[in-house]
Amino acid sequence: MLSVVNDDGTTPNGSLIDEIVREGARRMLAAALEAEVNAYIAELADQRDETGRRLVVCNGYHQPRKVTTAAGAVEVKAPRVNDKRVDEATGERKRFSSAILPPWCRKSPKISEVLPLLYLHGLSSGDFVPALEHFLGSSAGLSPATVTRLTQQWQADHAAFMDRDLSEVDYVYVRADGIHLNVRLEEAKACVLVLVGVRADGSKELVALKDGYRESAESWADLMRDCARRGMRAPVLAVGDGALGFWKALAEVFPATREQRCWVHKTANVLDALPKSAQPGAKKAIQDIYNAEDRDHAVQAIKTFAKLYGAKFPKAVKKVTDDQEQLLAFFGFPAEHWIHLRTANPIESTFATVRLRTKVTRGAGSRTAALAMVFKLVESAQARWRAVNAPHLVALVRAGARFERGQLVQRPEAVAA
């Protein structure tokens, strides 16, 4: 039931709107648990003993318990199932286990997702209870010991992730970037090296995440050697910033992989070499290059850019002309993929949230703990990454299909003699 509203519009448990949300969540959860139990019992209605009585029946309710959710603390009374069936293999009684509310559950997955954000933000494990108890209406599942266990589990998850077998996964495209975060790593100039891959089905996922020194070639080579050791195939195309030591490492470990420089990073580098008065026009000229209809038009746009700015700003123009082949590599792939291949910016976008949460702190404890927190944040963000356009074409790229002007080149039929 809802609480009595005070004269100031509050209730004993907070504001009226919070109370309504929690009550609605409680009722919906109760109804879902009832429906789950009823479906389980109905499915096994034909299971009876020698006297004809059902072996699986409802048997009241478990003791109430509070579950911490995004709507606050919700008190739950889960239906209890009496399952008298016996497992023939083990000789033990079978048990009903709710998929909605497992017996051990004291907080929703969304709350677990919030904890690494707060931890990265500098909140110590001892501060979780006072910080969240008032907001959520309960301290259930938020004790310092619980948070400590979670951080240990996150570290174990990250270690297992970095040791998983990659021989069964095929990353056709990869994006690479070195992310500098204000977290406590072993070296003052350490950064987080990130590889994000596009699988043959078009989906994107994190490939590797490890700390490295100054984005150096040796740090990247160590990361990619480890990926190769675990069975990773050479990607068809790699995308990254031109300043990375990644490219030297890529040539060593996966020499057959083609290179694509990130246009977002390149644009920023070129504009930094120009006076502010020239930057708006130069930016538009650069956009004309990577937004060109095809490679031929892009080459012509580079010539136009060089003609307009080469006399006064040769260093800025050289940044484009020296990397022309690597900047235009994406034109040799499906047109639907161009928007995904010409920049590594999605990695930056993902880590923008991480940076916001690490800006005010020197880190989350040890190097291992810091990397584990970053890993959990990216793992959470990964669920929201969308697949590339025309995902069915990714497998054709891996198969070696040729694309001209962004279109698949069909093999000409043999002409009969």
Side-chain angles (χ1 to χ4, degrees):
M1 292 180 60
L2 296 179
S3 303
V4 176
V5 181
N6 301 322
D7 292 337
D8 61 357
T10 64
T11 71
N13 294 320
S15 70
L16 179 59
I17 189 170
D18 289 335
E19 189 79 5
I20 292 172
V21 169
R22 278 194 291 269
E23 177 63 14
R26 186 194 66 78
R27 293 181 181 181
M28 291 178 67
L29 181 55
L33 292 172
E34 290 280 358
E36 183 185 33
V37 166
N38 290 339
Y40 181 79
I41 293 173
E43 183 180 352
L44 300 170
D46 60 337
Q47 301 288 312
R48 298 176 183 267
D49 61 17
E50 60 275 5
T51 64
R53 293 182 178 179
R54 288 187 176 185
L55 292 175
V56 183
V57 295
C58 188
N59 187 25
Y61 293 86
H62 290 284
Q63 288 295 318
R65 57 174 157 141
K66 286 189 174 181
V67 179
T68 304
T69 72
V74 177
E75 187 171 272
V76 180
K77 283 181 66 176
R80 185 162 51 196
V81 175
N82 185 7
D83 194 336
K84 298 178 181 178
R85 296 176 302 151
V86 177
D87 190 316
E88 295 179 358
T90 63
E92 297 180 355
R93 286 270 298 269
K94 293 186 177 182
R95 293 179 177 272
F96 166 75
S97 181
S98 172
I100 299 173
L101 188 69
W104 45 263
C105 183
R106 292 294 183 274
K107 59 184 176 296
S108 73
K110 278 294 180 184
I111 296 301
S112 296
E113 185 178 308
V114 167
L115 297 183
L117 304 184
L118 296 177
Y119 197 82
L120 264 177
H121 194 51
L123 200 65
S124 68
S125 59
D127 293 332
F128 274 81
V129 174
L132 295 178
E133 183 175 10
H134 179 72
F135 177 71
L136 297 173
S138 172
S139 61
L142 298 174
S143 68
T146 299
V147 176
T148 300
R149 285 195 301 271
L150 279 173
T151 56
Q152 292 172 348
Q153 182 59 51
W154 295 331
Q155 291 175 39
D157 290 345
H158 179 233
F161 175 81
M162 290 301 295
D163 198 38
R164 74 196 190 285
D165 181 20
L166 296 177
S167 60
E168 300 297 322
V169 188
D170 185 13
Y171 299 111
V172 180
Y173 305 131
V174 294
R175 292 190 180 98
D177 208 349
I179 309 296
H180 294 268
L181 300 172
N182 194 22
V183 296
R184 188 177 301 154
L185 301 175
E186 287 184 342
E187 301 285 349
K189 297 192 177 185
C191 64
V192 179
L193 308 180
V194 186
L195 273 182
V196 173
V198 177
R199 299 177 59 146
D201 63 359
S203 62
K204 302 172 188 171
E205 69 178 25
L206 180 66
V207 179
L209 185 150
K210 183 181 179 182
D211 58 329
Y213 182 69
R214 286 185 172 180
E215 306 179 43
S216 68
E218 187 52 40
S219 293
W220 275 110
D222 182 61
L223 175 62
M224 285 190 286
R225 287 191 206 106
D226 182 63
C227 290
R229 175 187 62 80
R230 291 183 283 130
M232 178 176 170
R233 293 181 63 185
V236 177
L237 181 73
V239 187
D241 178 11
L244 293 178
F246 171 75
W247 301 112
K248 182 178 179 182
L250 182 72
E252 175 191 332
V253 182
F254 296 124
T257 300
R258 295 183 61 185
E259 301 177 12
Q260 170 62 51
R261 297 293 189 269
C262 172
W263 272 103
V264 171
H265 287 89
K266 178 61 70 175
T267 300
N269 292 337
V270 172
L271 295 183
D272 284 345
L274 295 170
K276 287 188 176 180
S277 59
Q279 288 181 6
K283 185 176 182 180
K284 179 64 173 64
I286 292 172
Q287 290 173 340
D288 289 342
I289 300 172
Y290 63 76
N291 286 328
E293 177 183 345
D294 52 40
R295 192 182 189 283
D296 292 341
H297 285 85
V299 170
Q300 186 58 48
I302 289 177
K303 292 178 180 178
T304 300
F305 175 75
K307 182 178 179 180
L308 291 173
Y309 296 95
K312 290 185 177 180
F313 314 110
K315 289 184 179 180
V317 171
K318 202 170 186 298
K319 291 177 182 291
V320 175
T321 55
D322 282 0
D323 289 339
Q324 177 171 310
E325 290 304 312
Q326 292 83 359
L327 285 168
L328 303 184
F330 72 92
F331 282 111
F333 294 85
E336 293 89 343
H337 296 174
W338 290 355
I339 191 172
H340 304 284
L341 301 180
R342 59 194 179 205
T343 175
N345 206 43
I347 297 180
E348 287 281 352
S349 301
T350 295
F351 275 84
T353 302
V354 182
R355 282 199 178 93
L356 288 175
R357 286 163 174 77
T358 57
K359 187 175 182 181
V360 297
T361 177
R362 287 301 300 171
S366 68
R367 159 191 168 273
T368 306
L371 284 174
M373 297 307 104
V374 175
F375 167 68
K376 295 307 289 187
L377 284 168
V378 178
E379 187 181 55
S380 174
Q382 180 177 262
R384 296 183 288 275
W385 292 346
R386 69 181 184 88
V388 299
N389 299 333
H392 64 283
L393 295 176
V394 180
L396 293 179
V397 171
R398 169 57 82 187
R402 279 201 320 121
F403 292 84
E404 292 183 2
R405 299 178 180 272
Q407 302 299 314
L408 177 65
V409 177
Q410 300 291 341
R411 183 175 299 176
E413 294 181 3
V415 179

